[in-house]
Amino acid sequence: LSVPLIMEKVFRSQVKAKFTKTKFMRWLYSCGLMRKLLHRVAGVAMKKLFGGRVRFFGIGGAKVERETERFMREAHFPYAIGYGLTETAPLLYGSAPQETKLQMVGKPAIHVEGKLIDVNPETGEGELVVKTPCIMQGYFKNPEATAEILKGEWLLTGDMAKEDEDGFIFLVDRKKDVIISGGENIYLVQIEDFLRKHEAVKDVAVIGLPDARLGEIAAAVIEIKEGYSADEEDINDFCRDLPRYKRPHKLIFADVPRNPTGKIEKPKLRKIYCGESLVAAQVEMKLDK
């Protein structure tokens, strides 16, 4: 059993780094069929790395980065996904290695019932709520917090999700990590996934900051790989492929804090950067007129 960060580091520092170290290798890797073949070769080595007879590699605790999961699928590496909360003891949804779908967390576990509420009719996205015998009785000596998350037999997960025709759940983002900027709903994880594709970006966290004109703006905290350099102009040019309203308004070049399970500690970042004046490392993004 593992957290996503372990496999993400293996993929980026060993697999992708090896297959993109020369111009010719980068060209080969950019071809879908060759990439899949290279990933199959790497998958054989990955299985040997974990003992040679690995049949089940369980991953949970945080969202798996899309490119890393695509590698595991194309490598035929037997990973499995689990999703749950401490408040639900914890497993809610999951999928065995032979059932996984890209970026999906799977179907409800035994004795778990789930549904989406407040669904957006245009996107099909809503908050995931669950009912199971494993739900906690409440937060210790905190009835206010308990009342916010428990609604009768149902627990509000705080996760925005979509459901496909097979009952698999796709987690869009944490409800509190959706900001409204200039009237547009922006899922911060989508900006993070995009910025991670930049070759110089080691890690990234996007948070919402208050703004008098737009309500909220997206600020990207970017950690640069050792031996690489990137400035606001590089990131700004890279972000031109994003819809204009999704481009981060501010850049902060700093380390991205993570907890032991691999989750980004966004409350800590909000506490640091949500003051009236941001640190000198913060850079205003230049938006297209």
Side-chain angles (χ1 to χ4, degrees):
L1 301 179
S2 177
V3 294
L5 189 61
I6 301 298
M7 194 58 72
E8 288 168 9
K9 284 189 174 181
V10 171
F11 169 66
R12 293 189 175 279
S13 63
Q14 300 295 326
V15 179
K16 188 175 181 180
K18 179 179 180 180
F19 292 147
T20 58
K21 62 182 179 181
T22 68
K23 186 176 182 179
F24 177 68
M25 288 297 294
R26 285 194 294 272
W27 176 78
L28 280 180
Y29 195 67
S30 67
C31 301
L33 184 61
M34 286 303 302
R35 185 197 69 235
K36 292 177 181 179
L37 180 61
L38 292 171
H39 282 174
R40 284 293 299 274
V41 173
V44 174
M46 285 282 293
K47 290 177 182 178
K48 290 182 180 179
L49 177 66
F50 288 101
R53 294 188 296 173
V54 58
R55 291 181 296 174
F56 181 99
F57 191 93
I59 300 176
K63 184 178 182 291
V64 183
E65 193 269 328
R66 182 184 181 87
E67 192 177 13
T68 301
E69 185 178 2
R70 185 185 68 178
F71 156 68
M72 291 189 291
R73 293 181 66 81
E74 294 177 350
H76 290 195
F77 189 76
Y79 76 99
I81 297 292
Y83 159 75
L85 307 173
T86 302
E87 292 86 346
T88 59
L91 189 64
L92 291 172
Y93 284 72
S95 55
Q98 67 272 17
E99 299 174 333
T100 57
K101 290 186 178 184
L102 184 63
Q103 293 292 276
M104 296 280 192
V105 297
K107 294 182 178 181
I110 297 174
H111 302 307
V112 174
E113 182 180 349
K115 64 180 181 180
L116 303 180
I117 62 171
D118 301 327
V119 177
N120 184 324
E122 295 182 2
T123 64
E125 299 164 356
E127 182 178 3
L128 179 62
V129 300
V130 295
K131 180 168 62 174
T132 166
C134 297
I135 289 177
M136 66 172 185
Q137 295 180 9
Y139 293 117
F140 185 62
K141 294 184 178 180
N142 195 339
E144 293 82 9
T146 300
E148 290 181 3
I149 193 173
L150 288 180
K151 305 297 180 182
E153 296 180 298
W154 295 91
L155 180 140
L156 281 61
T157 66
D159 285 311
M160 301 297 292
K162 296 173 67 174
E163 186 176 11
D164 74 359
E165 63 279 2
D166 296 322
F168 278 66
I169 288 293
F170 169 77
L171 297 180
V172 181
D173 206 347
R174 291 290 295 169
K175 187 176 181 179
K176 62 184 178 182
D177 282 341
V178 180
I179 67 171
I180 300 177
S181 182
E184 298 279 1
N185 282 6
I186 301 176
Y187 293 96
L188 303 184
V189 70
Q190 294 176 350
I191 304 175
E192 292 171 351
D193 288 345
F194 179 83
L195 287 172
R196 286 194 180 98
K197 297 176 183 177
H198 193 290
E199 64 176 4
V201 173
K202 178 181 179 182
D203 205 356
V204 61
V206 180
I207 57 176
L209 297 180
D211 182 79
R213 184 172 62 90
L214 297 174
E216 289 181 282
I217 57 172
V221 181
I222 298 175
E223 185 174 342
I224 301 298
K225 293 178 184 176
E226 185 176 351
Y228 284 78
S229 62
D231 57 20
E232 69 275 14
E233 185 175 355
D234 296 324
I235 302 299
N236 188 31
D237 287 341
F238 186 73
C239 287
R240 293 187 189 280
D241 288 335
L242 277 173
R244 187 175 182 274
Y245 72 93
K246 287 187 179 182
R247 298 175 194 172
H249 284 62
K250 295 182 183 296
L251 294 180
I252 304 165
F253 293 98
D255 291 341
V256 175
R258 288 181 178 267
N259 66 20
T261 69
K263 290 181 181 178
I264 297 172
E265 296 184 302
K266 289 193 176 182
K268 180 183 291 186
L269 293 174
R270 293 189 189 98
K271 186 176 181 180
I272 296 173
Y273 298 114
C274 276
E276 292 183 2
S277 60
L278 300 179
V279 295
Q282 180 176 300
V283 181
E284 283 282 354
M285 291 292 290
K286 298 176 182 178
L287 296 178
D288 290 337
K289 293 183 180 180

